[in-house]
Amino acid sequence: MTGLHHELRLAEAHFGFWNRRFSGPLVFGLGGGGQRVHGAAGAWELYPDFALRAFERLGFFVNRFHSAVAGAFLGEVREMVWVKRYPVMISAVPAGAAGQGHRLLLASGGRAGAYRTLRGGPAAGLDEAELAEADLLRLIGDRAMDWAVVLPPKRMIRANLVLRSSLLREARRFPGYDAPLLAASARTGAWTTGRHHAAGAAAAAMAGCLEVAASRLDRPALGPLGSAWRELGDAHDRAAGRSDRAAVVADDLLPRESELCRRLVRELGDERP
Amino acid sequence: MTVLTTSLADRFALGQRVGSHCASTALANVCSCYGMDLGEDLCFGLGQGLDFSYYKIAELSHHIVNGRSRDLVPRLLDALPFDVVERHDEAPEVVLSELQRLVRDEDRPVLVRLDLNHLPYLQEHLRLSHRLEMSEHVAVVVGWEPGTAWIAEYYTRRLRPLAHGDLLAAMGARFEPKSRAFQYWAPVPTEVRRPLPEEIAGAAFRNAHAMINGFGSNLGLPGLRSFAADLARWPDHLDDAQLRLVFRAAVATLDKVGTGGGNFRRLYSRFLREAAVECGVPALHTLAGQYADLARDWKWFAAGLDRAADGRPTEHVPALARRLAGLVAAEDAAAHALYSITEKQIHDMPFRTTMPETTGQEGPA
C-alpha cells in the first residue's frame, strides 16, 4: 500500500502533535477516507483530504489557505511555525514531479531557521528532514498550493461517535451511488493499474480502521469484516495485472464491496425493527 | 423581459422558494431541485449556521460583526448525503468553462460565493445608505448562455441575468478573512431523503460545540465577548463620524441584510422547533423559545445602534455596552443548554440502518 502509506503516517503524526494517539487507519475512517471522488478531471479511489476532514469532524478548527505562488505564503507559515508553534500541513506539487500529489507536515521550527518536516508522496514514501527555507521553496516549486493550519478545541467531540457516523455514512453511500458510477467508468476502460492499486490501498486502510473500530466500538464482528476488506484490497492488487480487469471490477470487486458496505451498516446500526 | 427556459431553470423554479437568508435559501432551493424538500430553517441548522464573527480589517471602514457561520455551505453539504464538486482560486477562464460545463452541459445548479458590491440588482434591492463590504453572499447559478449567467437569489423567484464579466468580478472579490476567491460548489445527492434525527441532533451538537469553543478571539462566544469588551472602548479611538459608519454596517449585518431578523437567531429558533419534532426532543422546543428571545434582543440592540448612528454615537455607547453584556450572558446560557441537550441525545439515539435503494443510475440526477 505504497500509495497511501505516507498519508496515513502524516495523519498519525499530525494528530500526535495534538496529543491524540490515533493510528493512520483510524484517522482514515474518522475522515471518511473511503469516499470515492468522481470528477471530470479524474477519479480518486479515496477522499484525499481525509485527515483534515477527520480534524473537522472531531471539532478541531481547520484553517485552509490557498497561495497562487509558493513563496507568497512563507511569511504566514513562518508566523504559524515559529511564533504560534502550530504544525502546518501543505499539499503541494513539487517542481519536476508533475501529477504527483505531495504532502508536507511542517511540525516545528528546527535549528537556525530550518523547519522540521515530514514529507511524503505516493512514490517517494515518507521521510523526515530538517529543511532550510530555500530548500523548502525548491521542494514545493513555484506552483499554486493549498495549505492548512489545524487548531484544537478546548474539548474534542468523542472520537467513537464520529467514527461510527463516518463509517456508516460512507458505507450507506457506496452501493447505491459510487458502485454504479465506478462500474460505468470500468466499462469505458478508465480503470488503470494505478486505480486498482489505489483502491487496494484504500481497502487495506479501511481494514485497519475496522480492526481498531472492533475494540473501540465494542463490536467484535467488525474484526472479521476488516479481514474481508483486506481480502478485497488484495483482490484489487491482483486484478491490476489482468487484461480483463474492467470485467473483474464490474462483476466481482464492486459487488463484493457493496455487500461489505451493507454488512458494515448492519453491524454498526442499532435500529430496532 | 427575457425569461430563461431550460430544463434546469424549469426544474429549479418548481421548488424555488423565497427566503430570509442567502446561503440557507440557496441550499434549500438546490435541495428542492433534487427532490429534497428541507426548507430554509432546516438547512440553516443542519449547516451549523449559528455563530458569531467579529473582525476588524485594516482596509475596511467598518468592523465585521455577524451572527452566522461562514462555513454554512460546506457544513450542510457534509451533513447531508451529497457528492460535491468544490473549487476555489482557479483562473477566471477555468471558472467560466467549468461553470458552463456544470450548468449548461450537466444541468447542475451551482452555488457561488459573491461580493454584493458587484451585484447591481442586489444593491438596488437592499437600498443601503452606505457601502458595505460583504463577499460572503451566496447565490445559485441556474442558467448559462453566451455572455450571461442566470442567478437565483434568496429574495425573489425571478432569475437575475448577470454578465460573465460581472459574475467573475463578484466571485473574485474577497474581504472577509480567509474567504476564497472564485469559490463554488456543485452538489448532487447520493440519495434523496429527509435528514435522519441523529444527523439533525449531531449538527446542533456540533454547532453548540463550535459556538462554545470558538477559536481565538474572533469566533463564537469568545468573539462575542471580544465584541462586547471592544464596544465600550470604541469612543477612545473612533470619532462620531467613524462610529456612525461602524454602527450602520453593524445594523445591516446584525439585522437588516438577509439575517431573517435578530442576527440569525430567529432562523435558528425555527430550526430548533423543527428539530424538536424530527428528533422527538421537547427540550429543543423550549430552547427554541430562548433563541426567539435572543432574536428579539438582537433586534433591539440593532435598533439602538441605528438610533445612535442618527444622533451622537458616543453618548449612546455606555447604554449599548450594557445591553450587549446582557446579550452575551443570554447567548452563553443558550449555547450551553443546546450543548447539554444535544450531547445527551446523540449519545442515546439509535443509528438508522436502512440502506438507500440502488438506482443503477450512472451519473448525476
Side-chain angles (χ1 to χ4, degrees):
Chain A
M1 58 190 245
T2 324
L4 188 51
H5 189 58
H6 70 286
E7 295 274 10
L8 300 176
R9 287 276 308 281
L10 280 171
E12 191 175 324
H14 206 168
F15 270 90
F17 188 92
W18 297 114
N19 296 324
R20 298 288 159 193
R21 287 187 185 176
F22 290 171
S23 66
L26 175 60
V27 180
F28 184 85
L30 287 164
Q35 182 195 309
R36 304 303 216 278
V37 179
H38 314 275
W44 292 74
E45 296 310 309
L46 56 97
Y47 185 78
D49 269 338
F50 65 86
L52 292 182
R53 195 158 73 176
F55 275 117
E56 276 171 337
R57 288 182 176 176
L58 289 162
F60 286 68
F61 187 66
V62 178
N63 234 337
R64 294 164 192 272
F65 302 83
H66 175 86
S67 295
V69 181
F73 79 115
L74 272 180
E76 287 192 74
V77 166
R78 250 179 245 130
E79 189 190 338
M80 295 292 173
V81 173
W82 293 100
V83 181
K84 297 186 174 166
R85 306 259 167 200
Y86 296 140
V88 174
M89 175 72 90
I90 299 176
S91 296
V93 181
Q100 298 274 318
H102 196 98
R103 277 183 209 273
L104 194 65
L105 180 66
L106 303 180
S108 62
R111 282 170 302 174
Y115 294 87
R116 279 181 51 212
T117 64
L118 269 175
R119 59 186 166 138
L126 188 81
D127 66 69
E128 199 170 343
E130 198 160 293
L131 296 176
E133 213 165 86
D135 295 331
L136 188 65
L137 270 178
R138 239 192 320 279
L139 177 75
I140 53 190
D142 58 356
R143 303 170 194 216
M145 68 178 54
D146 291 315
W147 55 289
V149 180
V150 175
L151 306 178
K154 282 182 200 141
R155 191 176 161 194
M156 198 180 81
I157 294 173
R158 242 183 264 180
N160 285 0
L161 185 84
V162 174
L163 178 61
R164 193 165 162 219
S165 62
S166 289
L167 288 174
L168 260 174
R169 182 192 164 103
E170 306 320 331
R172 278 179 64 92
R173 167 183 152 136
F174 186 84
Y177 183 76
D178 295 295
L181 286 171
L182 292 171
S185 88
R187 280 195 290 275
T188 60
W191 269 79
T192 58
T193 311
R195 279 185 78 171
H196 271 294
H197 287 310
M206 184 69 178
C209 177
L210 290 178
E211 281 150 14
V212 177
S215 60
R216 283 192 78 106
L217 303 177
D218 194 20
R219 286 168 192 256
L222 294 182
L225 198 53
S227 306
W229 233 291
R230 201 174 292 285
E231 283 164 24
L232 177 73
D234 294 343
H236 265 293
D237 286 332
R238 283 195 301 275
R242 291 175 56 159
S243 56
D244 61 341
R245 57 175 172 261
V248 176
V249 168
D251 302 336
D252 177 25
L253 300 178
L254 294 176
R256 261 169 83 179
E257 188 165 351
S258 292
E259 187 45 36
L260 290 178
C261 285
R262 288 192 192 94
R263 273 177 62 193
L264 178 57
V265 171
R266 281 197 298 273
E267 295 298 342
L268 284 172
D270 51 8
E271 191 180 31
R272 304 286 178 263
Chain B
M1 180 79 182
T2 317
V3 176
L4 184 71
T5 51
T6 63
S7 61
L8 172 60
D10 290 347
R11 191 153 49 92
F12 194 86
L14 273 178
Q16 189 187 6
R17 284 189 220 161
V18 170
S20 36
H21 169 53
C22 61
S24 44
T25 305
L27 286 160
N29 285 334
V30 168
C31 288
S32 178
C33 179
Y34 284 120
M36 298 161 82
D37 187 17
L38 303 189
E40 181 188 7
D41 306 335
L42 201 49
C43 285
F44 187 79
L46 280 167
Q48 302 166 52
L50 186 72
D51 202 349
F52 193 86
S53 310
Y54 171 58
Y55 288 101
K56 173 72 191 113
I57 299 168
E59 299 82 41
L60 298 190
S61 57
H62 59 81
H63 296 61
I64 293 174
V65 185
N66 191 288
R68 72 105 159 154
S69 161
R70 55 180 301 280
D71 290 326
L72 197 152
V73 176
R75 282 179 180 165
L76 178 84
L77 297 176
D78 191 43
L80 286 172
F82 272 115
D83 195 13
V84 187
V85 171
E86 188 266 345
R87 298 270 188 277
H88 57 85
D89 296 294
E90 289 173 326
E93 62 275 14
V94 177
V95 175
L96 286 183
S97 71
E98 274 297 284
L99 288 176
Q100 174 174 303
R101 182 181 67 78
L102 290 162
V103 178
R104 193 194 67 183
D105 303 342
E106 294 188 5
D107 249 7
R108 293 168 72 170
V110 178
L111 294 141
V112 287
R113 201 193 283 278
L114 303 169
D115 183 283
L116 61 80
N117 284 305
H118 289 84
L119 304 173
Y121 60 79
L122 196 57
Q123 293 286 309
E124 195 185 316
H125 168 73
L126 295 171
R127 289 189 193 140
L128 292 174
S129 58
H130 57 283
R131 186 177 169 86
L132 180 70
E133 306 295 359
M134 223 283 270
S135 51
E136 296 285 316
H137 177 65
V138 176
V140 191
V141 183
V142 295
W144 197 264
E145 289 178 339
T148 307
W150 289 83
I151 312 291
E153 284 289 353
Y154 71 101
Y155 62 90
T156 175
R157 295 191 74 232
R158 183 178 293 170
L159 299 181
R160 300 291 174 182
L162 192 62
H164 288 174
D166 292 339
L167 176 67
L168 283 178
M171 290 179 77
R174 51 181 172 178
F175 289 101
E176 278 81 351
K178 315 291 181 278
S179 79
R180 296 173 153 202
F182 303 115
Q183 190 170 24
Y184 58 93
W185 300 265
V188 60
T190 59
E191 52 180 303
V192 175
R193 61 167 169 82
R194 296 280 299 168
L196 304 171
E198 61 262 32
E199 288 169 341
I200 296 172
F205 170 71
R206 283 166 190 285
N207 207 156
H209 185 276
M211 188 77 186
I212 293 166
N213 292 290
F215 299 91
S217 54
N218 302 110
L219 296 173
L221 290 176
L224 179 55
R225 285 188 204 105
S226 302
F227 174 47
D230 282 3
L231 176 68
R233 294 194 295 259
W234 278 355
D236 299 343
H237 51 92
L238 297 175
D239 60 28
D240 269 353
Q242 289 170 315
L243 275 175
R244 263 183 211 109
L245 269 177
V246 172
F247 282 6
R248 290 211 164 102
V251 171
T253 51
L254 288 175
D255 195 47
K256 283 190 176 164
V257 180
T259 73
N263 200 17
F264 300 92
R265 273 46 184 168
R266 196 177 310 288
L267 260 173
Y268 204 73
S269 158
R270 292 202 301 256
F271 158 69
L272 287 177
R273 260 188 210 117
E274 215 169 323
V277 177
E278 298 264 356
C279 304
V281 183
L284 289 176
H285 197 274
T286 314
L287 192 58
Q290 246 173 287
Y291 274 95
D293 292 345
L294 273 170
R296 182 202 56 206
D297 292 349
W298 276 111
K299 211 168 180 51
W300 285 350
F301 178 72
L305 287 173
D306 211 12
R307 272 196 303 279
D310 287 342
R312 302 179 76 177
T314 325
E315 291 171 4
H316 291 74
V317 167
L320 287 167
R322 278 196 300 278
R323 176 157 279 178
L324 190 54
L327 268 167
V328 173
E331 284 274 0
D332 191 290
H336 280 89
L338 181 63
Y339 187 93
S340 50
I341 295 168
T342 49
E343 186 186 34
K344 180 171 169 17
Q345 278 309 308
I346 56 173
H347 288 113
D348 293 350
M349 203 171 262
F351 279 75
R352 310 298 166 102
T353 58
T354 325
M355 287 293 290
E357 294 288 316
T358 303
T359 58
Q361 196 176 294
E362 291 176 4

